[in-house]
Amino acid sequence: WEAANYPAFSGARIGSFFQERPVLKNPFLEDALLRGYLRRHLPQEAARSDLCAFGERVANEVDRWGRECELTPPQLIHFDPWGNRVDHIVTSPAWKRMKDLSAQEGLVAIGYERPFGEWSRVYQMSKLYIFSPSSGLFTCPLAMTDGAAKVLQSIGVSWPVDEAYSRLTTRRPEWFWTSGQWMTERQGGSDVASGTETVAVPQSDGSYKLHGFKWFTSATDADMTLTLARVQDRTGATTPGSRGLSLFYAEVSRDEGGRLRGIEVQRLKDKLGTRQMPTAELLLDGLPAHRLSDEGRGVASIANMLTITRIHNSISAAAAMRRVVQLARDYASRRTAFGKLLKDHPLHMQTLARMEVQTRGAFLLVMDVCRLLGREESGMATQFDRYLLRLLTPVVKLYTGKQAVAVVSEGLESFGGQGYIEDTGLPGLLRDAQVLSIWEGTTNVLSLDVLRCVARSSGMVLHAFFTHAKSLLAGASSVSSLGPAVTAVDRALSELETFVQVAAKREASYLELAARDLAYSLACIYTGALLIDHACWKGASQSDAYAALRWCEQDLCPVVSKQARGCYDPSAPPLDSALCDL
Ligand code: UCC
Ligand code: FAD
């Protein structure tokens, strides 16, 4: 009787409605801002057609591999069946395909081939931006590989690193190497100077053997690494602190018995996200290495790597936001609630529009840093550009890392309950976003880096910032619709200038407390200026102007509003501590 009355819900029948899934379309063609930005700055057809073809490949082929990487996480095999120690990190076939693809597509090589002169980094990073959310986190080893190539290039491409440089920057898959970046030890990832215990024992041939324990090493299937250690003198003593750290190059190789030379893989980390990629703890037990820096210049010498990996991190952050917005937009045209499609609910569209504004801001900020990097590398940079690059690199990394978590989290909600379901692939986006503000320097540590670079340049980096931000507003005088945005950025700039003058006379602890808000202010103001500048371009759309207006409605200078509330006064730290029961 029941089956006859409810035929749609009986036995194997579970109802006839099945929600259409969001569809990933060509991420290049779907991204109006990316295409507009490139039309404006890099109009060469060769770049456009390569990015378009790559976007097609990402949507139709690579995205599946990325999912495969997530579903087939790496495993560590300590022993072979006969009890021999082998320490094999087994990765998925898809992860290996990503490596070959990365070489073929020139995802590192482009930065060194420089096919478009000063715009080559923008081209390379545009490609990585399209690739990143589908890459199964292969963008992580690519970031470190690019960073290592940059360090080797800056130190000089000669023995013992000439072959490594050629391998890191090749397009030939069989020749391509990836690099690790082993800086973090158990005692410290931020405070590398106090945390590094690894010692380098000099050998008679001028090389070294490293002994120590590296607590986090990502993409540990790498072929080589750059790492820090303290050189031991004849008595076995080392110099403490940053002045005792030197930079080393080591290859990851195996002996005739198949054992890793001088390395034991202790275990793989069990991580919230980035599960596609192995992150290992390593015992360095006599790892053969070559010193690349002068003794005691390790941190300064690896700084080039930090610059590159922090820019890659920011690209991945902007790309994660863009991906979730693209999927949410597609879903809004497929999902019906309360009798109409989500796209016809104004409140839902307001939510998506806010995500879009954040994404656009992040994109323009990181692309501007890529522009500056390209200028520096092609010999076009002024001293001004170099100051801006130094200042904006930590700023873009710390700001976009936070934006990514917020936007991707909001993005998941736009799929309702489905956003929380593992095999949609959506939750992984959020898990992977969470790391972006932790590795390569946490938000606070990078905020303090901003303060240090301001102090070390005697304020010149801020002078470059103010001058350039103001120049970005120049074209807006004739575009009346942008008036409120220009006024907001102008006001924020003067408030920030006043803050800097006043704060410079305050004690160091005052500035330290203001560091994070100062970094956020720099990011918000500069991004506002970039959005305005882009909206004034002759090819800009109405949406470009609208995005600028919306961005500039937020508090662009939180360091001033928080200062007014006494957040940095000497009375604040004890109250903060008491509030946290510490
Ligand atoms: O997390 C890691 C890998 C994750 C996987 C890869 C992901 C890539 C993105 C993928 C996207 C999907 S590797 C570990 C990363 N670790 C960090 O980022 C460390 C964070 N801590 C800091 O950044 C600290 O500020 C330290 C370690 C740099 C502080 O060390 P010191 O020795 O106390 O620093 P000083 O005294 O500030 O700097 C020493 C020298 C100075 O040069 P001189 O001696 O000539 O005055 C500084 O100017 O180094 C220079 N320096 C820099 N130069 C320091 N930082 C920089 C910089 N950022 N740029 C240029
Ligand atoms: P801590 O320094 O202990 O920081 C703890 C908290 O204190 C943070 O909130 C921080 O902001 C805050 N803090 C620290 N100092 C200050 C200060 N002076 N003022 C105010 N606040 C402060 N490292 C590598 O070298 N190679 C890798 O390949 C690598 N891969 C990683 C992969 C993953 C998935 C993760 C999660 C980490 C990886 N790391 C790697 C390590 C990473 O770089 C460090 O974890 C990171 O730099 C933070 O260092 P920490 O863990 O020692 O944190």
Side-chain angles (χ1 to χ4, degrees):
W1 181 88
E2 286 191 347
N5 281 287
Y6 303 104
F9 297 99
S10 71
R13 291 185 291 276
I14 55 172
S16 58
F17 174 77
F18 293 93
Q19 176 61 48
E20 276 180 46
R21 67 180 64 197
V23 175
L24 176 66
K25 299 181 191 130
N26 182 328
F28 175 73
L29 293 177
E30 286 291 294
D31 193 332
L33 181 62
L34 170 64
R35 284 186 294 118
Y37 184 87
L38 293 175
R39 254 201 333 278
R40 181 179 180 193
H41 296 294
L42 179 59
Q44 281 87 336
E45 176 53 25
R48 202 204 69 84
S49 62
D50 181 52
L51 291 168
C52 187
F54 187 53
E56 209 55 34
R57 198 171 173 198
V58 165
N60 296 327
E61 189 180 15
V62 179
D63 194 58
R64 268 201 318 276
W65 304 351
R67 188 79 193 125
E68 209 177 309
C69 291
E70 174 92 26
L71 296 176
T72 327
Q75 288 185 355
L76 172 61
I77 298 184
H78 267 139
F79 298 98
D80 75 6
W82 308 102
N84 301 302
R85 180 100 193 207
V86 286
D87 287 355
H88 265 299
I89 296 176
V90 181
T91 56
S92 67
W95 178 260
K96 296 187 181 78
R97 284 200 292 275
M98 292 293 187
K99 186 174 179 183
D100 291 352
L101 168 102
S102 301
Q104 283 157 355
E105 294 285 348
L107 295 179
V108 175
I110 291 168
Y112 300 85
E113 294 164 350
R114 296 200 195 124
F116 299 111
E118 65 177 300
W119 292 99
S120 300
R121 282 293 188 180
V122 162
Y123 168 52
Q124 176 204 10
M125 296 295 173
S126 299
K127 224 166 161 175
L128 283 158
Y129 172 75
I130 290 170
F131 177 54
S132 176
S134 298
S135 72
L137 245 283
F138 205 81
T139 41
C140 171
L142 293 180
M144 297 189 288
T145 300
D146 196 349
K150 174 88 178 173
V151 169
L152 300 190
Q153 191 183 52
S154 65
I155 281 170
V157 181
S158 56
W159 189 88
V161 296
D162 44 350
E163 181 179 326
Y165 177 79
S166 131
R167 286 178 175 275
L168 298 175
T169 57
T170 186
R171 282 182 181 254
R172 287 160 44 211
E174 71 286 0
W175 189 245
F176 185 45
W177 270 6
T178 58
S179 176
Q181 175 186 11
W182 302 347
M183 294 176 70
T184 305
E185 303 195 7
R186 262 195 295 257
Q187 285 188 46
S190 308
D191 184 3
V192 173
S194 329
T196 307
E197 292 180 295
T198 301
V199 295
V201 183
Q203 305 296 298
S204 53
D205 62 357
S207 70
Y208 293 80
K209 289 210 166 157
L210 305 187
H211 296 265
F213 197 94
K214 298 292 173 181
W215 181 233
F216 276 96
T217 64
S218 279
T220 327
D221 57 328
D223 307 279
M224 58 159 276
T225 193
L226 296 185
T227 190
L228 298 172
R230 300 182 191 281
V231 175
Q232 261 186 354
D233 68 15
R234 285 204 189 107
T235 67
T238 55
T239 308
S242 195
R243 282 186 313 109
L245 292 177
S246 305
L247 176 66
F248 289 86
Y249 159 77
E251 288 174 20
V252 181
S253 63
R254 289 182 181 271
D255 61 21
E256 310 71 49
R259 282 192 69 151
L260 280 171
R261 273 200 188 88
I263 300 176
E264 277 188 11
V265 185
Q266 179 94 348
R267 59 173 169 162
L268 294 186
K269 300 281 196 189
D270 184 8
K271 298 173 286 180
L272 169 70
T274 71
R275 291 185 196 159
Q276 313 88 322
M277 170 199 74
T279 299
E281 294 168 19
L282 298 181
L283 170 71
L284 309 188
D285 187 6
L287 172 66
H290 295 274
R291 180 165 54 79
L292 295 186
S293 71
D294 287 342
E295 281 188 36
R297 297 296 295 160
V299 172
S301 304
I302 209 167
N304 268 326
M305 185 170 208
L306 294 176
T307 298
I308 297 291
T309 49
R310 286 169 184 174
I311 293 172
H312 276 256
N313 200 85
S314 313
I315 283 287
S316 289
M321 293 183 236
R322 173 52 69 209
R323 174 60 57 87
V324 87
V325 169
Q326 273 172 4
L327 292 174
R329 191 172 62 199
D330 183 78
Y331 194 63
S333 305
R334 298 176 189 273
R335 175 73 170 169
T336 296
F338 298 100
K340 48 187 181 180
L341 288 167
L342 293 180
K343 74 179 175 60
D344 297 322
H345 289 282
L347 185 56
H348 188 71
M349 291 317 295
Q350 179 200 69
T351 309
L352 295 195
R354 286 179 180 170
M355 289 159 54
E356 174 71 27
V357 170
Q358 290 297 317
T359 305
R360 282 173 174 248
F363 173 84
L364 288 181
L365 182 58
V366 61
M367 276 304 162
D368 202 58
V369 177
C370 298
R371 175 187 71 82
L372 291 164
L373 177 66
R375 283 180 67 76
E376 189 208 45
E377 293 180 332
S378 56
M380 309 287 286
T382 60
Q383 181 56 31
F384 231 61
D385 291 329
R386 282 190 285 273
Y387 282 142
L388 271 180
L389 178 62
R390 175 68 183 93
L391 176 71
L392 293 176
T393 301
V395 167
V396 68
K397 193 287 187 178
L398 72 88
Y399 197 74
T400 57
K402 288 296 196 196
Q403 280 181 299
V405 176
V407 170
V408 172
S409 171
E410 185 71 80
L412 258 53
E413 191 177 331
S414 70
F415 300 94
Q418 289 302 99
Y420 203 71
I421 297 307
E422 262 306 321
D423 55 2
T424 60
L426 294 165
L429 282 174
L430 182 59
R431 285 201 303 270
D432 291 347
Q434 185 66 57
V435 81
L436 298 172
S437 62
I438 297 175
W439 64 17
E440 295 300 348
T442 64
T443 311
N444 283 351
V445 166
L446 292 179
S447 302
L448 296 172
D449 183 53
V450 168
L451 281 192
R452 270 200 307 276
C453 89
V454 170
R456 283 185 178 142
S457 72
S458 309
M460 289 307 289
V461 294
L462 281 183
H463 177 60
F465 173 86
F466 286 119
T467 311
H468 190 61
K470 283 175 194 163
S471 77
L472 286 169
L473 303 181
S477 50
S478 53
V479 188
S480 60
S481 62
L482 287 168
V486 176
T487 308
V489 173
D490 244 344
R491 189 185 323 112
L493 276 168
S494 351
E495 285 175 354
L496 186 63
E497 264 179 317
T498 311
F499 171 84
V500 168
Q501 282 158 13
V502 173
K505 297 183 191 119
R506 299 291 302 252
E507 60 282 23
S509 56
Y510 187 87
L511 269 174
E512 191 177 324
L513 276 184
R516 185 190 272 239
D517 297 329
L518 173 65
Y520 282 18
S521 304
L522 292 168
C524 289
I525 293 172
Y526 196 80
T527 302
L530 288 170
L531 283 159
I532 290 169
D533 171 64
H534 190 73
C536 295
W537 168 56
K538 64 176 170 20
S541 66
Q542 267 189 348
S543 291
D544 291 323
Y546 185 69
L549 286 165
R550 283 287 183 240
W551 178 273
C552 294
E553 279 165 6
Q554 64 182 310
D555 179 1
L556 294 178
C557 200
V559 76
V560 166
S561 31
K562 298 238 165 61
Q563 176 196 37
R565 292 185 203 119
C567 293
Y568 322 130
D569 290 347
S571 58
L575 293 173
D576 289 340
S577 296
L579 185 62
C580 301
D581 241 351
L582 283 168

